[in-house]
Amino acid sequence: MAKQNDELRICAYCENSIPSTLPDEFICRKKGVVSATAKCRAFVYDPQKRCVRPRNNNE
């Protein structure tokens, strides 16, 4: 479970980040320009930034 939570702690899902015009880069309010997979202690999860895949109900 801890590994799953650690995977979600990336700048792409952070409340402090804003998408940049460059692919896979974000502008962080705390650190400046960072990659989408960067991590830091200022992370605050924003559920609206996560794209959830629809369920596959083929039974």
Side-chain angles (χ1 to χ4, degrees):
M1 184 76 161
K3 181 165 175 99
Q4 183 182 15
N5 288 339
D6 190 44
E7 291 174 356
L8 292 177
R9 295 182 58 91
I10 58 175
C11 289
Y13 302 138
C14 184
E15 188 177 274
N16 295 318
S17 68
I18 302 167
S20 174
T21 57
L22 299 172
D24 296 328
E25 290 193 355
F26 286 79
I27 300 171
C28 179
R29 292 182 188 150
K30 306 286 182 175
K31 301 282 184 173
V33 179
V34 294
S35 71
T37 57
K39 300 176 183 179
C40 76
R41 295 187 310 171
F43 178 83
V44 179
Y45 181 67
D46 185 3
Q48 293 179 343
K49 290 189 178 181
R50 185 156 181 232
C51 297
V52 180
R53 291 178 287 179
R55 290 177 135 175
N56 189 3
N57 292 331
N58 294 336
E59 291 182 346

